[in-house]
Amino acid sequence: MLKAIIFDMDGVIINSEPSHADAALAVFKKYNADVDISYCKGFIGSSTKSMCEDAVKRFGIDSTVEELLLEMNKAKKEIILKQGYPVIDGITELIKRLYKAGYKLAVASSSSAQEIEDTVKALNIKKYFDKLVSSSNVKNPKPAPDIFELALSKLGVSAKETIVIEDSEFGIEAAKTAGIACAGYINPDSGE
């Protein structure tokens, strides 16, 4: 019996992938890294930290991963302040309906805990979620199943009692590896 629904955030609740790419490209440009949008798309569904780790090694960026990550997060925050949160049509209504129907709800995102908190507060949907789970709280980001396994544990439900709503290949792979049924949301900005 279905008891819980776990939502990815970026690409499912908000259409943030274009903002993330814009922020990353602006930061990479400061370091004269020869990076284009296709590089950023390769990390959709994974964490910004993973992209920073790869970029420092691959492009010889003269920065630590932590410093680069701080710059990326600052650039994303500036874009959100200017543009706001691009909400996916119909998602807040769906979340409210599922909550009223008695399902346990969680967000399990590769974004930081603060980004998740800021997003659900800004959209006025925090009260509908039982748990907010960030990949910063697990050892391995998506496509590893760690984030979904942690969400299951926090919700107190089994994989068979849960469904994940995901938009990225990495997220879908993570859900499947965790043994959770997954509904794929097709977001054109989230890659293939």
Side-chain angles (χ1 to χ4, degrees), residues 23-24 32 35 38 57 60 63 69 81 86 94 99 115 130 161 174 176 178 180 185 188:
N32 297 315
V35 177
S38 63
K57 290 178 195 169
S63 174
L69 183 58
L81 285 173
L94 174 62
Y99 173 82
E115 289 171 311
D130 296 279
E161 298 170 318
K176 288 170 76 175
I180 307 171
Y185 173 69

Side-chain angles (χ1 to χ4, degrees), residues 116-171:
I116 298 168
E117 182 81 17
D118 291 347
T119 301
V120 295
K121 279 184 176 177
L123 301 180
N124 200 26
I125 57 173
K126 183 178 180 188
K127 63 186 173 189
Y128 302 113
F129 289 101
D130 296 279
K131 299 296 175 186
L132 304 175
V133 185
S134 167
S135 68
S136 59
N137 297 323
V138 296
K139 182 178 179 185
N140 303 301
K142 299 171 190 175
D146 301 24
I147 192 166
F148 292 129
E149 291 168 348
L150 179 59
L152 291 174
S153 172
K154 286 181 174 273
L155 288 170
V157 294
S158 73
K160 291 181 180 188
E161 298 170 318
T162 308
I163 190 167
V164 169
I165 301 175
E166 261 290 352
D167 67 309
S168 73
E169 184 178 340
F170 282 161

